[in-house]
Amino acid sequence: MLLWALQGPFALLALRMKDVMGEGGFRKEVVQPGEGPTIPREASVLLYYSAFLEYADQPFDTTYNFKYPRMMKLGRDVTLAGLELGLLTMKKGEFSRFLLQPEYAYGEMGCPPLIPPAATILYEVQLVDYFDTAQSDHFMALEPDEQNALPLSVLVSVANTLRSFGNRCFNQGRYDNAKDRYKQVMAALMNRLKEKEEEEAVKALLLPVYLNLTLTELRLESPRKALKYANRALDIDPQNTKALFRCGQVYMDMHEYEQAQNVLIMAQAKKPFDCDINSLLMKVAICYKKGLDQEIEVYSRMFKALRT
């Protein structure tokens, strides 16, 4: 308690902060409130943070120089006791400051040469989002037979969590990370296909995963792999409009315009007023015509050459 009585900017800041633990070592100030429940233990969090020593103008550690928020797993990636404790008090969208005495930070020894002994640390943390990945992490650590012994409802929950995780990575342009998450889901679901009574339910879960993987492989410039996953989606539901559209995207990327046109016409028949389908179909038609015109020009030149 006496440490907070020392004069300095941190002491003044401490006066307006909440004493979370009731013994003065860990204080919090909510700058921007969040919404929803607080972060559960073992969650994976997306956050920005900066850490400051007293009297320092610049942080000694920050993630604000990254384009996208950092993903950290509580209990594994967050090693500072005070920071993890602070995160467990936060809600989605919240921005808060935490003032940590040495026992909640780097201890009496500090972390030379960056952190001096017995240093008080200020963390500014912006919680962008979090995923409750405890269940999915535990599930993926099991052997396939152990996974299959669990109720289907557990698999559904795990699949949805991992897909959401993958979608977040995809939206951030981290396509390799997104692919890894989607393939985790695919492996678990395909292993469950052995259970005949659950086959239809599992296939319904597999369909969006194949569609996710198709688009991800396109972003990774692997159209052959993308086509493989698009065809798997069509094997499950040959009339699925999104699967037909994804096939059209793949064939377009591979410059196979006739095949692209065929599947997109099938998709258009299902959704005649879909802007994405109609727009892509128009692009395919233009490219297809250009390709035919070029072929005609080549054959015309060949014919002229033969005549002369």
Side-chain angles (χ1 to χ4, degrees):
M1 291 291 291
L2 293 177
L3 287 172
W4 294 113
L6 298 175
Q7 296 301 310
F10 279 4
L12 295 175
L13 181 61
L15 294 176
R16 66 170 191 257
M17 300 180 85
K18 179 182 178 182
D19 185 354
V20 178
M21 305 303 292
E23 38 77 79
F26 173 81
R27 292 177 181 261
K28 176 181 180 180
E29 177 188 25
V30 177
V31 180
Q32 177 181 310
E35 57 183 18
T38 55
I39 300 176
R41 293 187 179 277
E42 298 185 68
S44 294
V45 297
L46 282 162
L47 76 164
Y48 288 109
Y49 69 81
S50 292
F52 298 85
L53 294 169
E54 194 166 22
Y55 300 105
D57 293 328
Q58 299 296 323
F60 65 83
D61 185 20
T62 184
T63 62
Y64 278 96
N65 52 340
F66 295 109
K67 182 178 181 181
Y68 298 111
R70 186 176 178 185
M71 176 72 75
M72 301 178 74
K73 170 74 174 175
L74 296 183
R76 184 186 67 195
D77 301 326
V78 183
T79 57
L80 204 67
L83 179 57
E84 179 153 2
L85 183 62
L87 286 168
L88 289 170
T89 70
M90 297 184 74
K91 301 178 180 181
K92 179 180 177 180
E94 180 179 327
F95 178 78
S96 288
R97 296 189 179 101
F98 301 99
L99 201 55
L100 311 178
Q101 282 289 317
E103 61 268 29
Y104 289 96
Y106 293 92
E108 294 301 317
M109 299 294 293
C111 189
L114 196 60
I115 312 296
T120 300
I121 306 295
L122 172 66
Y123 268 91
E124 295 183 341
V125 182
Q126 179 185 355
L127 179 64
V128 179
D129 202 354
Y130 68 85
F131 297 97
D132 189 356
T133 56
Q135 183 187 48
S136 59
D137 289 338
H138 294 159
F139 181 90
M140 297 310 297
L142 298 174
E143 294 296 324
D145 289 344
E146 294 175 310
Q147 293 177 358
N148 285 348
L150 296 173
L152 181 62
S153 59
V154 174
L155 178 60
V156 172
S157 177
V158 168
N160 290 335
T161 298
L162 290 174
R163 270 195 70 225
S164 297
F165 205 156
N167 292 345
R168 168 68 73 167
C169 294
F170 183 92
N171 291 333
Q172 292 179 344
R174 295 160 49 202
Y175 302 124
D176 283 314
N177 291 335
K179 178 181 175 179
D180 289 342
R181 295 295 175 179
Y182 296 145
K183 292 193 78 171
Q184 279 185 316
V185 183
M186 182 183 70
L189 291 173
M190 290 186 71
N191 185 59
R192 194 72 171 232
L193 278 175
K194 298 172 185 177
E195 308 296 330
K196 290 297 182 182
E197 65 274 12
E198 298 173 347
E199 185 175 358
E200 292 306 312
V202 173
K203 283 183 175 180
L205 292 169
L206 268 171
L207 179 60
V209 177
Y210 286 146
L211 295 174
N212 290 146
L213 280 166
T214 301
L215 193 55
T216 303
E217 292 291 4
L218 277 176
R219 293 288 187 273
L220 290 169
E221 299 181 356
S222 300
R224 297 290 177 187
K225 292 180 179 178
L227 184 60
K228 175 183 71 174
Y229 291 122
N231 284 328
R232 287 187 183 181
L234 287 173
D235 286 340
I236 293 174
D237 184 359
Q239 303 301 316
N240 186 274
T241 307
K242 185 170 283 189
L244 291 167
F245 177 71
R246 289 281 182 260
C247 269
Q249 288 179 301
V250 175
Y251 283 129
M252 176 72 174
D253 196 69
M254 296 168 67
H255 307 295
E256 295 183 9
Y257 303 122
E258 186 173 1
Q259 291 92 326
Q261 193 173 57
N262 291 338
V263 293
L264 287 170
I265 288 172
M266 292 173 65
Q268 188 185 53
K270 298 288 182 183
K271 291 188 176 180
F273 304 109
D274 188 286
C275 294
D276 291 332
I277 294 172
N278 291 331
S279 177
L280 185 58
L281 192 53
M282 186 178 296
K283 290 178 183 178
V284 169
I286 293 170
C287 292
Y288 190 21
K289 184 177 182 303
K290 284 182 179 179
L292 288 176
D293 289 344
Q294 288 171 357
E295 285 187 24
I296 291 170
E297 179 65 23
V298 169
Y299 284 121
S300 177
R301 288 178 181 175
M302 289 173 61
F303 182 69
K304 287 179 181 178
L306 289 171
R307 291 186 64 182
T308 56

